[in-house]
């Protein structure tokens, strides 16, 4: 029936569309003044509705797929006077069934895409954590391909000693399963980062996890599509603002770019294999970065636009990164604008960071004689340093922390023993190093136990504490949050 676009057609329950919905099957309605007269007496309201439509004959069939009815399809014959017949009704019902099936599929795809997008965004960082090592800006662009949302992600993880881990990864595949696998892999990265593993060891453990995920999904119907995450790529780096050094490793991921003094280059991070292959080694790369260097971590969707080859894409990205910008958000937007002329065919995660430095006036380090009598000297040194930093309100708790941690190092560790205090804008960190690899652990002290309460006290007085291991020795650290102002 010819109607202006956007006009709402109200159909009472006694009208042909209303009856079609109520009865659940199609029906032919004769039209025209002469033909209508034959059944107008039996159904005057419906006859009037057909007469008002101006059609010589009218067909109403429901748009139904399974148990869902989407509406009614109306077919009107205006130019030809002969009425619709049974063959026309059968054809209309076939067309309506196919149309309803298409509508149902489109609705299902739309719901699935919305659900996947919601899951994907909920698994990405909602806010960036406060930390003093880096200024950071991020972007995430979902793909517009029919394959659906992929498993790209990024993360920023504060570590001990004011260090920060930067992560960018890409889970193979698209859709709900890729997003769910991404969430599991990202959670594993945060857990391993909390243990303070070096980047190469972290990727080795992550590789084992992906292998197990693949084994779990080996019997799934669509395991061939997802393979449990086999082929997932990841770049993991740790930046230390005290030493201004970056240590990074990658598993099949594009290398990070760095901008120093207006010059853009790739960091020579060894190209490890993608995750999930199992048993292959990963190597770390370490370098010193001047304060104010800009790091760019990204997924491969950024380098795969349809109209460019890889060399052109790299030149465009380097040119966008090299241009000065007041903010990192501007850098992100400039990179995406220059690289993309349309919505991407693959997901894109982009993380841009500018390095800061904690200078010598914010870090104090002392090497202590290996003698329990030096515990008092350690407390004195810490108190004097806090006075220089005008942090006298933190002196009492810091003395207790230093006393417990240094005493443990003398009793259970090996020389040399070093005490370090780090003061940034928000936290005060106390670290004690010794050359023993035996890690302390908290336990519940019984009534008559002489020990076992030191770490419990440290845990109660601080926001975070832990142990990180080096090639030789360990560092026990405790972190206090400083009051604003």
């Amino acid at each position: 029936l010819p109607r202006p676009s956007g006009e709402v057609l109200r159909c009472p329950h006694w009208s042909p569309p209303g009856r079609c919905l109520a009865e659940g099957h199609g029906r032919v309605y004769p039209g025209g003044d002469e033909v209508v007269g034959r059944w107008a007496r039996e159904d005057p309201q419906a006859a009037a509705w057909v007469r008002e439509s101006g059609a010589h004959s009218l067909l109403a069939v429901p748009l139904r797929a399974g148990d869902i009815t989407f509406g009614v399809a109306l077919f009107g014959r205006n130019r030809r006077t002969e009425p619709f017949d049974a063959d026309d009704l059968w054809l209309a019902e076939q067309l309506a069934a196919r149309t309803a099936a298409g509508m149902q599929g489109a609705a299902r795809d739309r719901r699935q895409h919305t659900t996947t997008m919601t899951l994907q965004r909920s698994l990405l960082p909602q806010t960036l954590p406060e930390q003093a090592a880096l200024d950071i800006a991020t972007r995430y662009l979902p793909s517009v391909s029919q394959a659906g949302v992929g498993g790209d992600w990024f993360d920023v993880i504060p570590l001990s000693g004011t260090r920060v881990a930067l992560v960018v990864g890409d889970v193979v595949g698209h859709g709900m399963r890729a997003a769910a696998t991404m969430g599991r892999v990202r959670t594993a990265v945060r857990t391993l980062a909390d243990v303070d593993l070096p980047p190469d060891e972290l990727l080795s453990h992550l590789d084992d996890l992906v292998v197990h995920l693949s084994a779990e999904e080996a019997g799934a119907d669509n395991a061939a599509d997802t393979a449990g995450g086999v082929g997932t790529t990841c770049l993991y780096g740790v930046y230390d603002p005290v030493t201004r050094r970056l240590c990074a490793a990658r598993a099949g991921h594009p290398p990070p770019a760095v901008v120093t003094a207006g010059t853009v280059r790739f960091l020579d991070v060894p190209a490890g294999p993608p995750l999930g292959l199992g048993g292959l080694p990963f190597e770390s790369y370490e370098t010193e970065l001047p304060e104010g260097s800009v790091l760019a971590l990204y997924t491969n969707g950024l380098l795969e636009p349809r109209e460019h080859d890889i060399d052109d894409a790299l030149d465009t990205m380097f040119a966008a990164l090299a241009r000065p910008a007041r903010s990192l958000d501007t850098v992100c937007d400039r990179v995406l604008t220059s690289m993309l002329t349309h919505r991407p065919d693959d997901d894109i995660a982009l993380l841009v960071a500018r390095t800061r430095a904690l200078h010598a006036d914010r870090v104090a380090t002392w090497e202590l004689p290996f003698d329990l009598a030096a515990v008092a000297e350690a407390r004195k040194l810490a108190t004097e340093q806090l006075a220089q930093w005008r942090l006298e309100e933190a002196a009492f708790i810091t003395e207790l922390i230093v006393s417990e941690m240094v005493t443990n190092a003398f009793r259970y560790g090996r020389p040399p023993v070093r005490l370090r205090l780090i003061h940034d804008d928000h936290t005060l960190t106390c670290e004690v190093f010794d050359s023993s690899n035996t890690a302390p652990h908290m336990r519940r002290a019984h009534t008559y136990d002489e020990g076992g309460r030191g770490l419990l006290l440290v845990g109660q007085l601080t926001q975070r504490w832990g142990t990180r291991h080096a090639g030789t020795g360990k560092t026990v650290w405790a972190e206090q949050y400083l009051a604003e102002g």
Side-chain angles (χ1 to χ4, degrees):
L1 298 178
R3 294 282 180 177
S5 176
E7 179 182 347
V8 176
L9 179 62
R10 300 187 182 277
C11 301
H13 67 89
W14 43 260
S15 65
R19 291 189 175 183
C20 181
L21 288 176
E23 296 170 357
H25 58 79
R27 186 173 176 183
V28 176
Y29 293 88
D33 293 338
E34 296 181 359
V35 180
V36 167
R38 300 176 184 176
W39 60 285
R41 298 173 184 174
E42 301 176 1
D43 201 344
Q45 291 179 312
W49 198 93
V50 174
R51 185 186 299 111
E52 185 179 350
S53 71
H56 294 293
S57 185
L58 190 68
L59 242 175
V61 292
L63 295 171
R64 178 184 293 273
D67 297 331
I68 302 175
T69 301
F70 294 93
V72 177
L74 294 177
F75 300 86
R77 181 166 285 172
N78 289 37
R79 296 182 181 179
R80 298 167 58 184
T81 58
E82 62 271 19
F84 290 113
D85 56 22
D87 290 339
D88 296 325
L89 177 60
W90 179 85
L91 180 59
E93 288 175 340
Q94 296 301 310
L95 292 174
R98 294 192 178 186
T99 301
M103 295 171 67
Q104 185 182 41
R108 182 177 58 250
D109 293 343
R110 185 166 57 251
R111 286 194 303 269
Q112 184 175 357
H113 184 268
T114 301
T115 302
T116 305
M117 281 293 301
T118 302
L119 175 63
Q120 171 86 340
R121 292 191 179 278
S122 69
L123 294 174
L124 292 173
Q126 304 302 305
T127 58
L128 296 178
E130 288 190 3
Q131 41 79 35
L134 299 161
D135 295 317
I136 296 174
T138 61
R139 294 292 185 272
Y140 170 75
L141 292 180
S143 68
V144 294
S145 65
Q146 293 182 352
V149 178
D152 292 21
W153 92 94
F154 60 86
D155 214 343
V156 179
I157 309 172
L159 303 176
S160 63
T162 67
R163 298 170 304 130
V164 176
L166 301 177
V167 192
V168 172
D170 184 358
V171 171
V172 67
H174 294 81
M176 185 75 72
R177 297 179 70 88
T181 301
M182 178 271 286
R184 300 173 75 177
V185 174
R186 178 180 173 239
T187 300
V189 171
R190 294 188 70 89
T191 302
L192 295 170
D194 194 52
V195 185
D196 253 324
L197 293 177
D200 54 342
E201 292 185 26
L202 184 143
L203 290 183
S204 295
H205 286 284
L206 199 62
D207 183 49
D208 292 338
L209 170 70
V210 176
V211 170
H212 290 311
L213 290 179
S214 176
E216 288 179 5
E217 296 187 359
D221 293 338
N222 56 349
D225 296 332
T226 62
V230 173
T232 294
T233 67
C234 182
L235 170 63
Y236 181 86
V238 176
Y239 175 71
D240 187 344
V242 177
T243 61
R244 300 190 303 279
R245 297 191 70 82
L246 173 74
C247 183
R250 62 187 176 117
H253 203 83
V258 62
V259 185
T260 54
T263 302
V264 187
R265 60 185 174 90
F266 280 132
L267 294 179
D268 297 326
V269 182
L275 300 174
L277 300 182
L280 298 177
F282 299 93
E283 297 182 53
S284 292
Y285 169 83
E286 189 169 351
T287 185
E288 183 174 338
L289 297 176
E291 184 177 3
S293 300
V294 175
L295 288 164
L297 287 66
Y298 51 91
T299 53
N300 59 5
L302 184 66
L303 302 179
E304 296 179 353
R306 290 192 297 261
E307 64 274 12
H308 298 301
D309 60 29
I310 186 66
D311 292 333
D312 291 339
L314 291 176
D315 291 342
T316 302
M317 184 178 71
F318 277 24
L321 290 172
R323 292 171 55 191
R326 292 186 177 180
S327 70
L328 295 182
D329 286 314
T330 302
V331 175
C332 288
D333 294 337
R334 180 182 295 160
V335 169
L336 294 178
T337 301
S338 60
M339 300 284 290
L340 304 175
T341 58
H342 51 78
R343 291 294 298 271
D345 297 327
D346 193 8
D347 290 22
I348 294 176
L350 174 64
L351 188 155
V352 177
R354 180 181 289 116
T355 61
R356 299 178 185 173
L358 280 179
H359 299 287
D361 60 340
R362 292 295 189 100
V363 182
T365 306
W366 305 275
E367 185 157 338
L368 303 175
F370 198 73
D371 186 349
L372 280 173
V375 175
E377 179 66 17
R379 289 197 299 266
K380 178 183 176 183
L381 292 171
T383 303
E384 292 175 350
Q385 185 61 55
L386 293 184
Q388 293 182 23
W389 286 337
R390 298 181 180 180
L391 298 177
E392 292 85 352
E393 69 279 2
F396 177 71
I397 292 178
T398 303
E399 283 188 49
L400 292 175
I401 295 171
V402 168
S403 180
E404 293 295 338
M405 292 171 58
V406 172
T407 299
N408 277 349
F410 289 153
R411 285 182 175 175
Y412 309 112
R414 298 176 182 175
V417 174
R418 287 191 293 271
L419 169 65
R420 185 168 77 160
L421 296 181
I422 304 173
H423 170 218
D424 63 28
D425 296 336
H426 306 288
T427 61
L428 175 65
T429 303
C430 174
E431 298 183 343
V432 176
F433 169 85
D434 74 85
S435 61
S436 170
N437 288 319
T438 302
H441 64 278
M442 187 183 298
R443 66 180 179 88
R444 184 180 182 86
H446 298 287
T447 304
Y448 299 104
D449 287 351
E450 295 183 2
R453 296 180 176 85
L455 289 180
L456 178 63
L457 179 63
V458 171
Q460 293 295 316
L461 294 176
T462 62
Q463 276 67 41
R464 299 196 306 160
W465 77 275
T467 306
R468 68 174 182 268
H469 292 269
T472 301
K474 67 178 181 299
T475 298
V476 182
W477 57 271
E479 191 175 278
Q480 304 175 60
Y481 291 167
L482 301 176
E484 295 292 336

